[in-house]
């Protein structure tokens, strides 16, 4: 079956944020008409199909990347309305009303407190962040004073609250702490203690008997640790990451309930999902891919997963090895699975890794290299309709995880410290060279595209080597110095870690690198008009710069989009323009 442009424009992250209560399972699903997230529900063991509970756009804007945008509460649901960040309440009859709305204030990381009939949340405004408790008539500040808060989680008995906090200039995957406090009957916090292992702690969860379990990478890998013991204890010392890089609030890739545990491990960039019951360990996925969210309830174990043979799925796992797919379906077309590719780089023993997808029609085919954002995000060997579409159009595709990417341990991430603009460009060159040696690639028609931080790498690679005929920058960073001055608070200290001082910020940027390049360059720029992470002025200046030096620059601006092109119509326009750009060569 041939994919259409509409098929190719479908995003891979169509499901997110699992929650459960005693009666139901909840999740967010992307609306095919608007590209926004809506809230869905399935009542456990019901013969009725899942149904949309909230048609409005649900989404947090805390730290710009959001997360934790709703929570069930006593049979109802509390959620964040995306466009104005109002806290909304929807009852079991589907009737919604506003609980709270504050000017220029965002909410995320919502957590239910049924014992006190309220929710807990991270609140963000121009003054900073804090943890708050909210009811339909009251707002209470629980704790403040740190730069950032995340992942609040309440014990099942309602007596303990845990959360993550960190301070500038760090990002939450560089240096963060776990806090634990007792909660009084009136909802105040007392007897606070914390753990700081000199590394990153993330995703706190409560297990049986209020055991506080979090992920820490102080040994080099994100592994589960029970911390509220006299001596913290590692619960899985396999030398692999057990979670992905924490860009959003409310992520949950491990869960602990009664005598069972659900957790994932990332091997060669692919997530494997396991369930441990007592001493018995079972593999839950027939093929690895990506685990987006996990929820455990009395009525079942649930996960949102992606694989090479299906898009996003919501799966309910039975007691044995069987499972039931609640949402999603397997593919009806034949795809060529990803092939693991690795090349030596940097110091002895260091490598760069990625996934190669061969074209379907022509052995000697052009190559599209994709660089993910972050730059500490990651790419996975999962079905992506855009990759499949390009394969059908006669292109090989190479997804790269440069040093600095998540899912390969702390050392791999920290290889990028002070090296962004150098090591990532070297990594792209090394992996493309390896691909050209191993696969039948038309080396005269190699293209590179990157989104956000990936656009920075794509444009620098275009300028640094004649390996690429052209580049596509999707809301990509072009001027790191300007970005450092204008970007939002969450990433305000990030560039100093990635690059260094103002002089280096200038020298490493594509805007500077292209002035040193004597070749006319060709690039396509795709940009959201309301982007506050990478502001449109950067993109326009870069396009003018290329044309000034004799190159060709095409700019596609979507006035109503933010950092990421979400609306289905806009995505189709974007991908059609990008394909025609490559086919021109």
């Amino acid at each position: 079956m041939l994919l259409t442009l509409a098929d190719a424009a479908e995003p891979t992250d169509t499901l997110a944020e699992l929650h459960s209560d005693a009666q139901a399972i909840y999740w967010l699903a992307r609306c095919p008409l608007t590209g926004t997230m809506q809230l869905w529900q399935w009542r456990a063991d019901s013969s009725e199909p899942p149904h949309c509970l909230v048609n409005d756009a649900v989404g947090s804007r805390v730290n710009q990347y959001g997360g934790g945008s709703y929570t069930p509460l006593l049979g109802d649901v509390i959620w964040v309305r995306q466009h104005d960040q109002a806290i909304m309440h929807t009852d079991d009859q589907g009737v919604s009303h506003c609980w709270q709305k504050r000017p220029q204030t965002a909410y995320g990381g919502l957590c239910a407190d049924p014992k006190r009939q309220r929710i807990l949340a991270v609140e963000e405004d121009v003054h900073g962040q804090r943890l708050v408790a909210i009811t339909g008539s009251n707002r209470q500040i629980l704790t403040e004073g740190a730069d950032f808060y995340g992942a609040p989680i309440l014990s099942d008995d309602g007596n303990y609250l845990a959360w993550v906090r960190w301070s500038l200039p760090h990002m939450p995957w560089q240096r963060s702490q776990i806090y634990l406090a007792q909660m009084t009957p009136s909802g105040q916090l007392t007897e606070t203690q914390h753990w700081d292992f000199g590394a990153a702690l993330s995703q706190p969860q409560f297990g049986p008997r209020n055991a506080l379990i979090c992920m820490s990478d102080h040994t080099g890998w994100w592994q589960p640790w029970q911390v509220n013991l006299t001596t913290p204890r590692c619960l899985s010392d396999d030398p692999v990451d057990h979670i992905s890089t924490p860009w959003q609030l409310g992520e949950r890739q491990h869960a602990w309930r009664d005598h069972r545990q659900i957790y994932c491990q990332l091997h060669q960039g692919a997530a494997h999902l396991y369930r441990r019951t007592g001493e018995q360990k079972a593999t839950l996925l027939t093929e690895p891919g990506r685990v987006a969210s996990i929820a455990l309830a009395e009525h079942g174990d649930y996960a949102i997963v992606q694989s090479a043979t299906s898009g996003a799925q919501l799966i309910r796992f039975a007691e044995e090895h069987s499972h039931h797919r609640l949402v999603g379906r397997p593919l009806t077309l034949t795809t060529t699975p990803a092939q693991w590719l690795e090349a030596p780089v940097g110091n002895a023993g260091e490598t760069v890794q990625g996934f190669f997808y061969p074209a379907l029609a022509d052995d000697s085919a052009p190559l599209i290299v994709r660089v993910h954002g972050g730059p500490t995000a990651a790419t996975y060997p999962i079905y992506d309709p855009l990759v499949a579409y390009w394969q059908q159009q006669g292109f090989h595709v190479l997804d790269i995880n440069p040093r600095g990417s998540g899912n390969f341990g702390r050392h791999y991430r920290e290889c990028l410290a002070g090296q962004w603009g150098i090591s990532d460009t070297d990594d792209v060159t090394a992996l493309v060279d390896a691909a050209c040696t191993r696969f039948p690639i038309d080396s005269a028609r190699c293209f590179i595209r990157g989104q956000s931080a990936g656009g920075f790498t794509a444009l620098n690679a275009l300028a640094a080597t004649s390996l690429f005929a052209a580049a596509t920058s999707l809301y990509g960073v072009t001027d790191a110095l300007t970005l450092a001055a204008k970007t939002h608070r969450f990433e305000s200290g990030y560039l100093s870690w990635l690059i260094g001082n103002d002089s280096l910020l200038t020298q490493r940027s594509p805007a500077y690198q292209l002035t040193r390049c004597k070749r006319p360059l060709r690039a396509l720029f795709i940009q959201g008009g309301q982007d506050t992470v990478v502001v449109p002025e950067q993109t326009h200046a870069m396009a003018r710069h290329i044309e000034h030096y004799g190159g060709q620059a095409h700019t596609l601006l979507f006035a109503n989009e933010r950092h990421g092109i979400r609306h289905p119509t806009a995505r189709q326009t974007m991908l059609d323009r990008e394909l025609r750009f490559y086919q021109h060569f």
Side-chain angles (χ1 to χ4, degrees), residues 549-562:
Y549 284 89
Q552 297 177 17
H554 309 270
T555 302
L556 184 58
L557 180 70
F558 296 97
N560 295 321
E561 294 285 351
R562 296 179 180 273

Side-chain angles (χ1 to χ4, degrees), residues 369-426:
V369 179
R370 298 201 308 178
V371 187
H372 62 69
T376 46
T379 187
Y380 298 80
I382 59 174
Y383 171 70
D384 185 330
L386 178 56
V387 171
Y389 181 72
W390 280 336
Q391 288 177 288
Q392 291 181 353
Q393 295 294 325
F395 292 87
H396 299 307
V397 181
L398 175 60
D399 272 354
I400 181 172
N401 278 313
R403 285 171 291 174
S405 301
N407 302 347
F408 300 95
R410 186 176 181 90
H411 175 74
Y412 198 79
R413 289 198 319 275
E414 293 196 326
C415 282
L416 200 60
Q419 295 299 306
W420 197 37
I422 298 176
S423 67
D424 51 319
T425 305
D426 293 343

Side-chain angles (χ1 to χ4, degrees), residues 17 59-62 65-70 107-110 248-251:
E17 291 195 33
S60 165
R61 290 184 183 164
V62 172
Y65 301 104
S69 51
Y70 79 96
Y107 293 94
L110 270 59
Q248 291 188 311
L249 304 176
E251 294 177 310

